[in-house]
Amino acid sequence: MSFSPIRLSLAAALALGAPAIAAAQTSVTIVREVDSNNYDPQKSTARSASEVLFMMGDTLVGLDPDMQTVVPMLAESWEMSEDGLTYTFHLKDGVKFCDGKAMTADDVVYTFDRWLDPETKSPVAWRAGEVESVTAPDPLTVVYKLKAPHSELLYQLTQSFATIIDKANVEALGPDFGVTGFNGTGPFCWQEWTPRNTMTLTKHEGYNWGPPIYDTPDAQVDEITWQIVPEENTRTVAVLTGQSQITQYVPYIALSQLRAAPNVNIEQSDAAFWTYFLGFKVDKPTVSDPVVREAINLAVNQQAMTEDLYFGEVQPAYSYVSEGALDWNHALDDELPKYDPEKAVEILEADGWTLNSDGVREKDGVKLQPLAYVFAGSTWSKIAEAVQADLLKVGIDMQIQAFDATIAWGKMSTQEFDMFGMSFPYVSSGDALNLYFRSANIPSPNRMNWNDAKTDELLRTGLTATNDADRAAAYGEVLKQVHEAYVWLPLYHEPMTIASSTELKPVVPHNLYGCGLYKGISIAYAD
């Protein structure tokens, strides 16, 4: 399916107040900003991969939109041993892959073995815990044994990284698994992927094992097309004119107009968190200097960014995770750096970074010109340029290099850059910290090269804690460490927002890994 160029202006589309193009009642087009590099659940950490994988595949357990309640998915029930080391999952009978083959416990074992296999090089293998073994005593039973308790195991098993895969499909496609095809058990099946353009999914006929969070257990439309539309105005026009029926990539500049449009519904949720930040590669020249990193934190005006770029629809971020997240360390509340360009200049001068004739700071003949890698597209273009402008006011000449999402993830696994732009979802502090600050996660997703034995020890303590107090204490100390080292420049926290045509039934936003449409089962045309 191709997406025809839209020449209608935003103002004209708003004036129409009704779709210009009627969508077929069996298909839905979702516009989004960027594509993924692949659709291999154990290898990609991209949200754009997860939002499609949740529709094409299933996990053992699912998550309610409240982001707290774990619900049955492929497993209809489960038990945990008293010591927290053994989970026994009882699978639903009758589950099939898109090619019609029955899914059994052997497929679950294969999935986890592949996920944990060092050869897979999964950047998120830590999410599975310290696994002793995963076995299948019979076709409908899986026994998951741990070497140490995992305080968030069930939550981690709801993530797209734990999507159950088909061994025959993986072996048949080899390195093209998740690139040219994917045989899953989800409500939708892989039809065709044209990178940087469209991903088309078709209804999985016979699928009736969706999680109980939906009114029905099966998909309500026959086809879903994910369409890449980098331009904000074009995405807005697409929703207003009916060329797209739904999106979570809502341009903030148009949000008030979309709320007023008679043919658009807006739904929002603050049940989970999504944070944008710039990270520093702490062992690279210039940004290896903690004074430089502190000065960058002081020189950027997050409040102005949220007002000028996002019209007050997001919250300025001074912390690496939202202060409302589980296990946030409130002892840091009054210690977080705020906008203070005068202090930034003062500490740079004291550290020997002086202005040259071009207005750029130098020290020992080295110019303060850190290179930042970001994603191409309207979001990061605006963010990077705003940060660049603020930094130049204090003599820091940040260089920007943008990459299409299909190659950006690979570029951000290198050692070529000094700074990088990223955004991420999380429910708890531990979820965020274990993702980014474990030394085992270097070079990705620990792109900062943060390698600290104490951090690793504290993260393991939090991950294996058997009570809330010990977990919170461990993660709180890690938060203190990384904030005091100015490892990131936090930018803003955003809510989940979904815009959809009134032709569709309202969708309750989901927040698992920032994938607002989750399984896609609730996408349905109004009666």
Side-chain angles (χ1 to χ4, degrees):
M1 177 179 179
S2 62
F3 199 73
S4 59
I6 300 173
R7 303 186 184 278
L8 189 64
S9 71
L10 177 58
L14 288 167
L16 286 176
I21 299 174
Q25 294 292 300
T26 57
S27 65
V28 165
T29 295
I30 307 169
V31 287
R32 57 179 177 165
E33 185 175 352
V34 298
D35 206 343
S36 178
N37 53 334
N38 65 66
Y39 292 91
D40 182 331
Q42 281 86 52
K43 292 186 177 181
S44 180
T45 60
R47 169 170 58 175
S48 48
S50 293
E51 58 194 5
V52 173
L53 285 165
F54 279 131
M55 294 186 178
M56 294 195 301
D58 291 316
T59 49
L60 286 178
V61 288
L63 199 64
D64 188 274
D66 66 9
M67 296 301 291
Q68 298 180 28
T69 307
V70 177
V71 298
M73 183 82 80
L74 293 177
E76 61 182 6
S77 63
W78 56 91
E79 303 98 35
M80 181 185 72
S81 61
E82 289 188 9
D83 60 8
L85 296 177
T86 303
Y87 291 73
T88 302
F89 296 95
H90 305 283
L91 305 182
K92 295 177 181 177
D93 196 5
V95 173
K96 294 183 178 181
F97 289 100
C98 280
D99 68 355
K101 182 175 63 178
M103 188 217 74
T104 70
D106 288 338
D107 296 298
V108 179
V109 172
Y110 171 76
T111 296
F112 288 109
D113 284 347
R114 178 179 185 264
W115 189 9
L116 295 165
D117 187 344
E119 290 296 316
T120 302
K121 297 180 180 178
S122 174
V124 288
W126 64 270
R127 292 180 181 271
E130 297 180 25
V131 178
E132 179 177 316
S133 65
V134 182
T135 57
D138 62 62
L140 294 178
T141 306
V142 174
V143 178
Y144 196 110
K145 289 188 176 181
L146 294 164
K147 298 175 184 178
H150 188 355
S151 59
E152 295 184 352
L153 177 64
L154 288 177
Y155 168 72
Q156 296 300 343
L157 294 186
T158 70
Q159 305 268 13
S160 65
F161 317 112
T163 297
I164 304 307
I165 56 178
D166 170 26
K167 178 180 180 181
N169 182 229
V170 175
E171 293 180 343
L173 294 179
D176 288 330
F177 173 66
V179 176
T180 60
F182 179 91
N183 185 38
T185 66
F188 295 93
C189 301
W190 178 298
Q191 177 66 27
E192 183 181 20
W193 180 34
T194 304
R196 298 178 294 280
N197 187 16
T198 58
M199 166 64 86
T200 303
L201 311 177
T202 54
K203 182 177 180 177
H204 185 174
E205 297 297 339
Y207 182 97
N208 63 359
W209 47 86
I213 64 174
Y214 295 115
D215 293 335
T216 60
D218 58 331
Q220 301 301 295
V221 295
D222 293 331
E223 182 179 275
I224 287 179
T225 297
W226 291 86
Q227 172 72 54
I228 306 302
V229 181
E231 303 81 11
E232 290 185 338
N233 277 1
T234 310
R235 290 200 301 274
T236 303
V237 171
V239 173
L240 287 165
T241 61
Q243 294 199 49
S244 168
Q245 288 71 51
I246 191 167
T247 184
Q248 71 177 60
Y249 295 88
V250 181
Y252 290 104
I253 191 172
L255 194 50
S256 61
Q257 292 97 323
L258 287 167
R259 287 193 180 105
N263 60 312
V264 176
N265 287 321
I266 297 291
E267 305 290 340
Q268 283 192 312
S269 171
D270 293 306
F273 311 102
W274 189 281
T275 297
Y276 282 73
F277 70 93
L278 279 164
F280 304 103
K281 202 170 279 295
V282 297
D283 55 358
K284 293 277 282 189
T286 69
V287 294
S288 62
D289 185 343
V291 171
V292 169
R293 301 197 300 268
E294 180 182 4
I296 290 175
N297 272 261
L298 294 168
V300 174
N301 191 341
Q302 291 99 326
Q303 182 66 48
M305 179 183 294
T306 62
E307 294 172 356
D308 297 343
L309 300 184
Y310 301 107
F311 309 93
E313 298 283 356
V314 301
Q315 295 297 317
Y318 306 103
S319 58
Y320 297 177
V321 299
S322 170
E323 290 92 326
L326 179 67
D327 297 334
W328 165 252
N329 185 352
H330 285 285
L332 296 174
D333 287 352
D334 297 327
E335 305 296 326
L336 301 174
K338 301 290 179 67
Y339 180 55
D340 191 344
E342 291 80 12
K343 184 178 179 182
V345 169
E346 178 184 330
I347 64 173
L348 286 169
E349 292 279 358
D351 197 42
W353 290 99
T354 58
L355 289 175
N356 63 19
S357 59
D358 295 323
V360 177
R361 295 194 176 274
E362 285 190 22
K363 182 178 181 180
D364 299 327
V366 177
K367 293 181 180 180
L368 193 42
Q369 295 178 310
L371 172 62
Y373 276 9
V374 300
F375 290 87
S378 57
T379 297
W380 274 105
S381 174
K382 292 190 302 183
I383 292 172
E385 289 171 5
V387 171
Q388 183 185 55
D390 276 349
L391 294 183
L392 198 55
K393 294 174 185 176
V394 300
I396 300 174
D397 186 20
M398 186 181 80
Q399 307 295 300
I400 302 169
Q401 192 163 353
F403 299 95
D404 181 86
T406 55
I407 61 172
W409 295 100
K411 296 295 291 185
M412 290 187 188
S413 295
T414 70
Q415 300 295 323
E416 301 168 356
F417 54 91
D418 306 304
M419 301 170 64
F420 65 97
M422 191 62 58
S423 65
F424 72 108
Y426 52 96
V427 170
S428 67
S429 298
D431 187 31
L433 295 171
N434 279 290
L435 176 65
Y436 281 111
F437 292 96
R438 292 160 49 95
S439 62
N441 289 356
I442 296 171
S444 178
N446 182 347
R447 302 170 184 88
M448 304 83 63
N449 293 342
W450 180 258
N451 190 350
D452 181 81
K454 183 179 180 182
T455 298
D456 287 340
E457 180 183 350
L458 287 166
L459 287 175
R460 189 178 187 279
T461 298
L463 200 65
T464 60
T466 56
N467 63 76
D468 294 345
D470 289 347
R471 185 192 65 239
Y475 290 147
E477 185 59 28
V478 175
L479 285 163
K480 182 175 184 291
Q481 280 187 302
V482 295
H483 276 79
E484 289 181 346
Y486 301 98
V487 185
W488 289 355
L489 164 67
L491 298 168
Y492 63 88
H493 307 302
E494 73 173 4
M496 172 60 67
T497 304
I498 292 178
S500 64
S501 166
T502 53
E503 293 182 325
L504 298 180
K505 295 179 180 178
V507 171
V508 175
H510 210 285
N511 285 288
L512 185 54
Y513 211 67
C515 301
L517 302 176
Y518 193 33
K519 306 297 295 178
I521 290 175
S522 62
I523 299 174
Y525 280 89
D527 298 332

